[in-house]
Amino acid sequence: MKAIHLTAYGNPAQNLMMVEVSEPNAPSASEALVRMEYAPINYSDLLLANGVYFLNPKLPSVIGGEGVGIVEAIGPGVTSVEVGDRVTIPFRTFTWSEKVLAPAQGLFVVPPSVDAKTASMLNINPTTAVLLLDEFVKLKPKDWIVLNAANSQVARCLIAIAKSRDLNVVGIVRRSELIPQIEKLGVDFVGVESPELSKQIQIVTGGMPISLGLDAVGGPATATMASVLSPGAHLVSYAWLSGLPMHVVQGDLIGKRLKINGFWMYYEEYLPKIRAALTEATKVVASGKLTLSITTTYKPSQIKEAIEHSQRGGKILLD
């Protein structure tokens, strides 16, 4: 069968290639055999392939952090899934392969109302969004949050799930031409990073506190976010799209007593909470309040082109 192997760390477009591998063994007790349908190329997959992620499998190795498939066989005693179920694949089971053996308890059965391409993208970005909104501040309806990289895939999930909870959302972008499309997502205010932004946000919020800031960028963007947060707020870093160290003005850090946290959804304390977060996120998707859009799909034999396209931007699925 076909699979995609990472052969060396660094330069994913050169070091990821389609190979022929043996079919998996029959599933043992607690396992299921899944025929993969779609798997996205995520930011985290590129980090892993570049050797700068929190996982470093021994190479050559299949990679791929999430995906969806159909259960083809189950091991003795498995009752959590049935043959024919469409399921998402749990963390630590790499998905860029025609078939995978996965722990059955970690499989999530997708409701019929969610199509396969959408289902392949449920496990990471929408689930991350739920956990980010749950784990740091006890938010109530009409509370304000602020997030940057508001046009990113995770931010779009955050906006939809926050609005489903009746939260108020400030989105920050780096280019003014992005403002109309972010406004269409339902944010209460979207602004461009600038010296005037803090005052603009204060006017829009009527001076109401912003107790949660979600930073995906790093660098000077973190300082911008810190400047609009309220005393005692949580500033959470969950990605580093700029590749730069976080900047925070000491006056904001000390004067506001900000709480700065790093977030990775697979920290041990979050693992027991992933299924509930995934369930909520899936309900928001199924309701139509969150659309997980894709740019295009590629076959495994086109992995080089798929990676290069993903690096230029857009949501790419492997078919």
Side-chain angles (χ1 to χ4, degrees):
M1 71 174 188
K2 295 176 177 63
I4 293 169
H5 270 181
L6 179 65
T7 58
Y9 289 111
N11 198 336
Q14 285 187 5
N15 295 328
L16 283 160
M17 56 189 65
M18 190 182 77
V19 295
E20 288 288 336
V21 298
S22 301
E23 293 267 341
N25 295 325
S28 61
S30 79
E31 288 185 325
L33 178 66
V34 181
R35 173 178 53 81
M36 295 304 300
E37 296 180 292
Y38 296 96
I41 298 175
N42 285 316
Y43 170 66
S44 54
D45 297 316
L46 298 179
L47 291 176
L48 189 155
N50 275 301
V52 294
Y53 196 52
F54 308 118
L55 298 177
N56 297 104
K58 184 179 178 181
L59 303 183
S61 173
V62 175
I63 67 167
E66 66 176 341
V68 71
I70 303 296
V71 176
E72 283 202 339
I74 57 176
V78 170
T79 59
S80 55
V81 296
E82 298 178 354
V83 172
D85 283 345
R86 173 169 285 139
V87 293
T88 66
I89 310 300
F91 176 57
R92 292 191 186 278
T93 297
F94 293 124
T95 58
W96 294 2
S97 180
E98 287 189 317
K99 296 182 182 181
V100 300
L101 273 177
Q105 281 297 122
L107 298 173
F108 177 80
V109 180
V110 179
S113 56
V114 179
D115 67 274
K117 289 180 180 179
T118 298
S120 75
M121 300 179 283
L122 289 173
N123 272 37
I124 294 182
N125 291 343
T127 303
T128 290
V130 172
L131 291 169
L132 285 169
L133 292 172
D134 280 350
E135 291 300 316
F136 301 96
V137 178
K138 289 188 176 181
L139 296 164
K140 306 181 301 296
K142 304 303 181 187
D143 281 352
W144 286 87
I145 68 168
V146 59
L147 53 87
N148 57 22
N151 59 317
S152 70
Q153 299 289 337
V154 177
R156 289 167 182 264
C157 296
L158 279 163
I159 292 164
I161 292 166
K163 298 313 295 181
S164 77
R165 297 180 175 191
D166 199 23
L167 299 173
N168 292 318
V169 181
V170 171
I172 302 174
V173 293
R174 285 178 282 183
R175 304 191 312 275
S176 59
E177 62 266 27
L178 293 170
I179 289 176
Q181 61 174 279
I182 306 306
E183 287 177 336
K184 288 180 182 176
L185 299 177
V187 295
D188 298 276
F189 174 73
V190 56
V192 179
E193 283 185 33
S194 68
E196 297 79 39
L197 184 62
S198 183
K199 185 169 286 187
Q200 293 170 356
I201 291 173
Q202 191 169 25
I203 292 169
V204 168
T205 62
M208 292 292 288
I210 302 178
S211 59
L212 180 63
L214 301 171
D215 175 28
V217 181
T222 309
T224 300
M225 178 169 287
S227 74
V228 306
L229 292 175
S230 306
H234 284 260
L235 194 164
V236 183
S237 172
Y238 68 93
W240 56 96
L241 297 175
S242 70
L244 298 172
M246 295 169 63
H247 297 183
V248 179
V249 176
Q250 284 91 332
D252 287 324
L253 178 62
I254 299 168
K256 295 180 181 179
R257 302 181 72 175
L258 296 179
K259 302 174 181 69
I260 299 181
N261 308 89
F263 174 88
W264 186 46
M265 69 182 293
Y266 301 121
Y267 287 148
E268 196 169 302
E269 63 265 34
Y270 302 138
L271 293 179
K273 302 176 180 181
I274 283 178
R275 181 168 291 269
L278 174 56
T279 299
E280 178 182 349
T282 301
K283 287 178 181 176
V284 177
V285 171
S287 73
K289 294 176 182 175
L290 170 57
T291 300
L292 303 178
S293 58
I294 65 167
T295 306
T296 190
T297 63
Y298 287 87
K299 295 291 186 181
S301 58
Q302 302 170 296
I303 184 61
K304 183 177 188 293
E305 295 86 346
I307 292 294
E308 289 173 342
H309 194 156
S310 179
Q311 290 171 322
R312 293 194 301 270
K315 191 65 175 183
I316 308 302
L317 298 188
L318 297 172
D319 178 349

